[in-house]
Amino acid sequence: ILKRYATFFAFALGGKEHQHYLVNDVELTNILDPISMSLMTGIFKFEFESRDATNTYPFVKMPPLFRLTRCKYVYFWPEPVDGILGGVTGIYQVRDPFPRFSIYRDYRVVPDPEDILPLMVGDGTNLEQTIFLEEQPFSGVDVSGVPPSAEGDSRVNVFDESTDRFSLEVQLAAPGILLITDAYSNGWKATPLPGSAQANYRILPADHAFQAVPLKAGHHRIQLEYAPDIVVRGMWLSTVSSLCTAVACALWGWICLRRRRTAYRSPIV
């Protein structure tokens, strides 16, 4: 989960020529170090917009891929006017961040995730219309010819959420792909809830670092939960260990009680 997201983040901010450096050095060290910060700000492409009296914070235009991270605000550390960013400091709003949930019908399948990032920033690519996947989302279903009337007939609603799971209701007039801009990990599981149009759901890697759920037309009720196998095994191990400890304590208590009763009943010589 960290490798995919770090690779995406580094490419989004620095491009392919600086991606290796950012992932292996800067991402895992103190980015406020003067040398690292100098290199990073020389790489990153910030476009600061003038302050508008109607907005609490001014806007900053980040690299296109950065919008997928859903980051809404960026804080720039105070520095002198002759510093790296020319005295820019404070909180800035990020222009047009992506929503958490979006429905797509146009997709491209690129098996190697390392090939996806350059394609995402290629000429003619519209990230609001096209999603990049690593495998076919549907079997025998073509979503590219969806009529325009169906494009707007899609709704996504979160009706339950906690720290490691959330539940969705999705209404689609035609098959589509749900993009979730949360970091992808194979530890995420999708389970149909009663009344859902599908019996099985898959969570696929999308746009290199995020999640996609292929959906057929209809009403969907889905629970997505982060439950990697190692966590499940750990929970079972903890449960078994707790039960063994409880049994051992009960057995030891019973033995101690039995010894006391035997000593109490024994005649004094």
Side-chain angles (χ1 to χ4, degrees):
I1 182 171
L2 291 177
K3 180 65 176 178
R4 274 183 178 267
Y5 202 76
T7 302
F8 174 88
F9 200 87
F11 187 95
L13 293 176
K16 188 175 182 63
E17 64 272 21
H18 302 291
Q19 178 182 352
H20 177 80
Y21 168 77
L22 291 172
V23 171
N24 290 282
D25 295 317
V26 177
E27 286 285 336
L28 304 179
T29 58
N30 181 9
I31 63 172
L32 297 180
D33 174 78
I35 298 177
S36 297
M37 194 64 185
S38 176
L39 288 167
M40 290 169 67
T41 51
I43 294 168
F44 299 169
K45 303 172 179 62
F46 302 130
E47 294 183 19
F48 298 98
E49 302 181 17
S50 58
R51 185 179 295 274
D52 188 340
T54 61
N55 297 318
T56 305
Y57 302 107
F59 281 95
V60 58
K61 186 176 180 182
M62 304 293 285
L65 294 188
F66 188 82
R67 297 170 54 209
L68 280 163
T69 65
R70 298 203 316 269
C71 179
K72 294 183 179 180
Y73 296 92
V74 177
Y75 177 74
F76 292 93
W77 196 263
E79 63 163 21
V81 176
D82 59 350
I84 299 169
L85 296 178
V88 171
T89 184
I91 300 174
Y92 281 74
Q93 297 184 69
V94 175
R95 177 70 71 182
D96 300 325
F98 268 56
R100 188 180 184 186
F101 306 105
S102 304
I103 300 296
Y104 284 74
R105 263 97 189 192
D106 183 23
Y107 65 90
R108 292 181 60 182
V109 176
V110 182
D112 188 347
E114 298 304 321
D115 293 336
I116 290 178
L117 292 172
L119 293 173
M120 291 177 67
V121 296
D123 294 339
T125 300
N126 186 341
L127 296 178
E128 296 180 358
Q129 296 181 356
T130 303
I131 188 173
F132 289 83
L133 305 173
E134 296 169 24
E135 59 182 275
Q136 287 290 343
F138 300 101
S139 177
V141 177
D142 182 14
V143 300
S144 60
V146 173
S149 59
E151 289 288 345
D153 191 11
S154 58
R155 296 184 298 276
V156 181
N157 177 51
V158 180
F159 64 88
D160 184 32
E161 187 170 12
S162 67
T163 55
D164 55 359
R165 68 175 181 272
F166 58 92
S167 299
L168 298 173
E169 280 189 318
V170 184
Q171 182 68 40
L172 294 180
I177 302 169
L178 173 66
L179 172 66
I180 305 173
T181 50
D182 292 346
Y184 172 80
S185 168
N186 56 15
W188 280 96
K189 315 292 182 186
T191 306
L193 299 176
S196 192
Q198 284 180 216
N200 297 288
Y201 292 95
R202 294 185 299 155
I203 301 178
L204 309 178
D207 288 348
H208 187 84
F210 304 98
Q211 305 174 22
V213 182
L215 303 172
K216 67 180 185 180
H219 183 72
H220 301 268
R221 289 170 53 86
I222 320 166
Q223 177 178 278
L224 291 93
E225 181 177 16
Y226 185 67
D229 294 338
I230 189 171
V231 173
V232 175
R233 290 195 296 267
M235 292 174 63
W236 276 106
L237 182 60
S238 298
T239 301
V240 172
S241 299
S242 299
L243 289 174
C244 291
T245 301
V247 170
C249 290
L251 181 60
W252 177 250
W254 179 80
I255 291 173
C256 290
L257 181 61
R258 186 179 177 85
R259 287 177 177 175
R260 281 186 186 178
R261 288 178 177 177
T262 301
Y264 178 76
R265 293 174 182 173
S266 299
I268 301 175
V269 179

